């Protein structure tokens, strides 16, 4: 075949944060799915097998494959039978943003010490719902009726973009949602992958989003993630292409020197972005379930922030003692306001109206409800 160059993809082309999986498990029903073909073509040479162990489940099957090496994982391409579009599992006890989840998979290849998914899943199986046609069928049914607006995202049970080099899932999703101007999709990530941008037909309906934290926390606790400057450079690149971005100061961690760290993080944001580039920004204090606390104490010597003054909240999760939380929120909010970000573009993730009033001087009810307020912000600059 003289004159032709065959580009064989190589697992060495993967970004630094993403090592190839040790093994790929595939549900027989999705063996011929488009997504499965794409993943296998992007991971030549990686062994795969069908998930045939229906009785004890893929976890048991995977345990026979997992070498237990650090950062290793099994990629499980699953025929998902549950609901793809769901509500965020917030709680009635605090003000929730009522984010709608487009569920595309579970677990994450990054290794943040505080990640709640460790306590949820307790394994290194990263699941991807490979039956995308069922996702699209469900979305067709649920997104069409009336002129109802939806603010949705994929970054609740996984990082929205971490597996994009393998799956191209977000590219498919934004392309599909191009026909649904009543949907605004938020893509929440800690890495840089902008490969999906070329498939977006209307940048006003996609909100690329990054978590932000101090350099110290990113460096010591968010293993594999992009640095803050890299994240903000990518955010600025999105803004230059007509997108607005969302930022999430979450989890805000109380550690010696946090004032300097978070002040610098705010500086870094505005080295790259103007306030009008930001659709909204959340502030969320570190919260954890008892199971995660045990895991952190047992496995994570880097997680020294766990030894602090925490109380058990109304949702059963532990959270930083209120005066310390208020101090951190007020400090960061003031720095953001000094840079020109308006109050109404900030919100608290899972906090009481008392905290809202103390820091911002009003409650979500004063805004007409947090869900409606964020819906307006996501559609209306
Ligand atoms: S990026 Fe998000 S989902 Fe992934 S390990 Fe970190 S906290 Fe967990």
């Amino acid at each position: 075949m003289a004159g032709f160059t065959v580009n064989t993809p190589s697992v060495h082309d993967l970004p630094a944060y993403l090592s190839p999986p040790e093994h790929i498990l595939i549900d027989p029903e999705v063996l011929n799915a488009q997504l499965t073909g794409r993943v296998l073509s992007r991971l030549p040479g990686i062994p795969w097998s069908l998930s045939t162990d229906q009785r004890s489940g893929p976890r048991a099957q995977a345990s026979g494959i997992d070498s237990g090496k650090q950062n290793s994982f099994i990629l499980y391409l699953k025929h998902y039978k549950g609901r793809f579009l769901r509500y965020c599992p917030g709680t009635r006890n605090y003000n929730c943003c009522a984010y709608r989840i487009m569920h595309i998979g579970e677990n994450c290849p990054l290794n943040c010490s505080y990640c709640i998914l460790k306590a949820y899943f307790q394994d290194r199986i990263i699941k991807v719902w490979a039956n995308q046609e069922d996702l699209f069928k469900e979305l067709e049914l649920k997104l069409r009726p009336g002129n109802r607006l939806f603010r949705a995202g994929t970054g609740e049970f996984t990082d929205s973009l971490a597996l994009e080099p393998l799956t191209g899932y977000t590219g498919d999703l934004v392309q599909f949602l191009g026909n649904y101007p009543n949907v605004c999709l938020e893509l929440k990530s800690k890495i840089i992958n902008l490969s999906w941008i070329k498939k977006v037909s209307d940048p006003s309906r996609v909100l690329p989003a990054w978590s932000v934290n101090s350099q110290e926390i990113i460096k010591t606790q968010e293993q594999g993630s992009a640095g803050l400057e890299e994240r903000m450079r990518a955010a600025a690149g999105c803004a230059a292409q007509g997108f607005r971005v969302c930022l999430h100061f979450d989890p805000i961690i109380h550690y010696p020197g946090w004032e300097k760290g978070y002040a610098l993080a705010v500086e870094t944001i505005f080295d790259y972005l103007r306030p009008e580039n930001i659709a909204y920004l959340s502030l969320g204090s570190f919260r954890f379930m008892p199971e995660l606390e045990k895991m952190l104490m047992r496995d994570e010597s880097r997680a020294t922030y766990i030894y602090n003054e925490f109380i058990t909240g109304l949702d059963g999760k532990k959270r930083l003692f209120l005066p310390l939380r208020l101090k951190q929120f007020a400090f960061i909010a003031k720095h953001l306001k000094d840079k020109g970000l308006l109050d109404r573009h900030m919100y608290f993730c899972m906090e009481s109206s008392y905290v809202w009033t103390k820091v911002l001087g009003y409650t979500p009810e004063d805004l007409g409800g947090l869900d409606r307020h964020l819906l307006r912000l996501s559609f209306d600059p």
Side-chain angles (χ1 to χ4, degrees), residues 284-317:
S285 187
F286 172 55
R287 320 171 277 291
F288 53 97
M289 307 188 301
E291 294 89 322
L292 183 66
E293 181 178 28
K294 277 187 223 141
M295 293 174 86
L296 287 176
M297 287 178 167
R298 190 187 60 215
D299 306 328
E300 294 281 5
S301 55
R302 62 182 164 152
T304 47
Y305 54 81
I306 197 82
Y307 304 100
N308 208 329
E309 296 177 33
F310 295 105
I311 51 110
T312 303
L314 298 169
D315 54 358
K317 288 183 185 165

Side-chain angles (χ1 to χ4, degrees), residues 123-309:
D123 59 31
R124 293 294 297 162
I125 305 174
I126 302 184
K127 304 178 199 93
V128 175
W129 312 151
N131 49 328
Q132 286 176 301
E133 69 285 3
D134 292 330
L135 160 74
F136 296 142
K137 256 188 236 159
E138 184 183 322
L139 294 183
E140 255 171 48
L141 277 175
K142 291 185 174 166
L143 301 180
R144 272 284 178 224
N147 286 326
R148 191 168 164 203
L149 300 179
F150 291 86
R151 183 178 70 92
T154 50
E156 187 67 19
F157 293 108
T158 182
D159 181 285
S160 290
L161 297 169
L163 288 184
E164 195 63 11
L166 300 181
T167 64
Y169 216 122
T170 297
D172 295 336
L173 189 57
V174 294
Q175 189 167 28
F176 173 84
L177 291 175
N179 293 321
Y180 294 84
N182 58 327
V183 181
C184 196
L185 181 72
E186 184 178 334
L187 302 169
K188 209 184 283 183
S189 189
K190 285 197 179 87
I191 57 101
I192 313 301
N193 181 299
L194 303 180
S195 60
W196 46 273
I197 281 190
K198 55 185 180 291
K199 301 212 173 158
V200 174
S201 46
D202 180 359
S204 74
R205 292 295 179 266
V206 180
L207 295 167
W210 280 273
S211 304
V212 264
N213 222 310
S214 69
Q215 307 275 15
E216 294 87 342
I217 295 297
I218 290 178
K219 201 160 160 221
T220 59
Q221 310 298 332
E222 298 182 352
Q223 193 187 331
S225 71
L228 184 57
E229 294 228 10
E230 271 181 277
R231 296 181 203 184
M232 293 306 100
R233 208 174 296 129
C238 291
Q241 296 191 58
F243 293 87
R244 286 179 305 140
V245 302
C246 304
L247 301 177
H248 299 286
F249 262 103
D250 200 345
I252 297 168
I253 289 184
H254 193 269
Y255 65 96
W258 64 264
E259 289 97 334
K260 204 169 155 215
Y262 286 115
L264 194 60
V266 173
E267 285 292 325
T268 308
I269 292 172
F270 292 98
D271 284 346
Y272 289 91
L273 295 173
R274 293 195 305 271
E276 59 270 27
N277 299 142
I278 301 170
Y280 49 77
L281 178 152
S282 73
L283 299 169
S285 187
F286 172 55
R287 320 171 277 291
F288 53 97
M289 307 188 301
E291 294 89 322
L292 183 66
E293 181 178 28
K294 277 187 223 141
M295 293 174 86
L296 287 176
M297 287 178 167
R298 190 187 60 215
D299 306 328
E300 294 281 5
S301 55
R302 62 182 164 152
T304 47
Y305 54 81
I306 197 82
Y307 304 100
N308 208 329
E309 296 177 33

Side-chain angles (χ1 to χ4, degrees), residues 107-112 114-117 157-159 189-190:
N107 222 338
C108 177
L110 304 188
N111 182 11
C112 301
Y114 51 74
C115 183
I116 195 90
L117 300 183
F157 293 108
T158 182
D159 181 285
S189 189
K190 285 197 179 87

Side-chain angles (χ1 to χ4, degrees), residues 5 13 24 49 61 66 99 151 169 187 224 228 234 267 279 317:
T5 310
D13 296 337
I24 307 166
S49 56
Q61 194 177 347
D66 189 357
Y99 174 74
R151 183 178 70 92
Y169 216 122
L187 302 169
L228 184 57
E267 285 292 325
K317 288 183 185 165

